[in-house]
Every structure is written in structure tokens, then in C-alpha cells.
Amino acid sequence: MPSVLSALTDALADGTVEVVDLTAPLSSETPVIQLPPEFGQTARFQLEEISAYDDRGPAWYWNNFRSGEHTGTHFDAPNHWVTGKGGLDVASVPVGHLIRPAVVLDFSARCAENPDFLLEVGDVSAWEKDHAPLPDGGWLLYRTGWDARSDSQERFTNADETGPHTPGMSPECAQWVAEESPVIGVGVETVGTDAGAAHSFDPAFPCHSFLMGNGKYGLTQLQNLASLPPTGAVLVVGPLPIVTGSGAPARAVALVER
């Protein structure tokens, strides 16, 4: 009888298990969050060429790069928010938490009708009745269809004179997910786990406040959630283990049995 791991590698080889890339390409064009000007701003991704098979290095090509921790597809560690101050940094996250089951709650149709759509506890409960309970120790991946906008800073942030308009969770839902649900993290397609209008919520930015404050994680700017089933996928996420870091760009993939 084959081992579990050999069965998995065989399934990957023959396509029985598909690897779906959930990561947005990382470049200087990758959208970033824009805070009011009185606050510090995250850096866009930048490459600085060191050599390219030339006098600086005749046989090799390589670069330095500069990036914010929270640029592109990235992982939020508990110490990212004041409610999680003193909590785990991204280098201290247990590696077992980086390979976990995931479910996909698809509310893209609602978000297409209303970019300020907020997920409520009742929406999650109804989804559970139709599908399955949220996975113990797993991830809730929230599909909004927002990845279709990721090629444009303007369309991705969707801001006007009143601020950004992007979907998220209500404060009550964020608190329930953080304090009562069995998941260890929330993944989204938007620039952050919170809705665009979350600066005006009570508390402000409730996903960050409640998730980080309860030792849970965020994963943002995901793509291709439409390729995942509602249940049964396994999320594999690899953030850079930056010592004392509050987060890091990450490669995120899903294993899906076909």
C-alpha cells in the first residue's frame, strides 16, 4: 500500500490533484493600499538590477528588491495590528498553520451589484447549511470577484471623494469569525482583509482588529478563487519568514482534487 505522501505525489503527477496558483504577479504595477497622506505609506515593489550577464557579473543575472511587507499577495501576522501587539511575528507562525484546509465562500454576485457589500454572520451560517461547517483550524477564503480588477490601481482601490469602495465583512461578522468560528485565518481578493469603508466602522478596521487580536491571520490579494470548489481544497501559503516582521509577500497555492 503506498504511503500518504507517495499517493499525493502520484496524484499531482497524474493530475488527480491540481495545483491552483492563488498568487498575484508581483511587480511595480501591483496595486497597493493608499492611506491618508498624514500616515506612512507602504512601498510599491521595485527591482534594482545587480548584473545581467555583463561586466557587473558575466555569468549571472540577479536583482535587489524593495517592497512593503504588505504589498501584493501577502500574509498578515498577529503583530501587524495594535490589538495583536506582542503576538507572533511572521517568522514565528507555526509552519503547520501554513498548510491547512480551506473553504471558499462565493459572494461575487452580491459584490458585483454592490462594491460596498459586507458579509454578515447570517451569510456564513446560510453557507454552512448549504455546504459544510467551517473547517476547524482551516481558512475561510472570501470570494468577491475583486481579482478581476487587479491590473489597475484605480479599479482595484475603487476610491472616490468619500474613500475606497471595496467589499469586506461587517464588524459583527469579523468579530464572530475571529472569536467564535474555528478558522485560523481569512483570505480575500481585495487589498486588505477589511472593506474599503472600514475606517468608519466601530471598531475601525474590524477584520484587522479582531483577527490579529485573537492570534489569527489574514491573506490578501488572492487570485483564481473561482477555480476552487466550495469545500475540499488545501491551502498552502509561504510568506517570507521576516524576523520581527508584521507580514510578508507570499506565494499561495491550493491543492484541489479533480
Side-chain angles (χ1 to χ4, degrees):
M1 181 177 180
S3 72
V4 172
L5 291 179
S6 63
L8 174 60
T9 54
D10 288 346
L12 289 167
D14 67 20
T16 305
V17 172
E18 179 185 1
V19 181
V20 179
D21 195 355
L22 307 180
T23 315
L26 187 56
S27 75
S28 60
E29 301 302 313
T30 298
V32 296
I33 194 169
Q34 294 179 315
L35 300 180
E38 63 267 26
F39 297 115
Q41 305 293 325
T42 191
R44 286 186 175 275
F45 183 82
Q46 298 177 8
L47 280 182
E48 176 195 3
E49 188 176 272
I50 302 171
S51 68
Y53 327 114
D54 52 28
D55 291 344
R56 300 168 298 170
W60 52 90
Y61 165 65
W62 57 342
N63 303 285
N64 293 318
F65 69 84
R66 181 175 187 266
S67 177
E69 294 174 327
H70 299 266
T71 296
T73 302
H74 65 268
F75 188 96
D76 293 347
N79 71 337
H80 174 45
W81 213 249
V82 65
T83 51
K85 184 178 180 181
L88 294 177
D89 65 19
V90 69
S92 302
V93 173
V95 292
H97 288 182
L98 303 178
I99 306 175
R100 287 296 175 98
V103 296
V104 180
L105 280 62
D106 185 353
F107 287 85
S108 56
R110 301 279 294 275
C111 296
E113 296 172 355
N114 175 18
D116 292 309
F117 173 78
L118 298 179
L119 192 69
E120 300 287 355
V121 176
D123 296 319
V124 181
S125 298
W127 184 93
E128 289 185 293
K129 289 179 182 178
D130 290 339
H131 297 92
L134 297 181
D136 189 8
W139 284 78
L140 186 165
L141 305 182
Y142 175 18
R143 181 173 181 244
T144 59
W146 218 253
D147 58 338
R149 298 168 173 255
S150 63
D151 60 347
S152 165
Q153 174 77 30
E154 182 177 304
R155 293 178 63 239
F156 198 67
T157 54
N158 197 36
D160 59 20
E161 64 279 358
T162 65
H165 296 276
T166 60
M169 292 185 181
S170 72
E172 296 77 16
C173 187
Q175 184 172 15
W176 180 85
V177 169
E179 297 181 355
E180 299 185 46
S181 87
V183 300
I184 63 169
V186 171
V188 300
E189 297 164 320
T190 45
V191 73
T193 52
D194 274 295
H199 58 86
S200 63
F201 293 177
D202 184 17
F205 305 103
C207 280
H208 283 81
S209 182
F210 289 122
L211 288 172
M212 311 293 100
N214 284 275
K216 295 189 176 184
Y217 314 119
L219 186 60
T220 77
Q221 288 183 251
L222 296 173
Q223 299 199 340
N224 300 321
L225 294 185
S227 298
L228 305 187
T231 64
V234 174
L235 176 67
V236 182
V237 56
L240 298 173
I242 302 169
V243 175
T244 76
S246 70
R251 189 67 181 260
V253 301
L255 304 181
V256 180
E257 188 172 359
R258 297 303 189 190

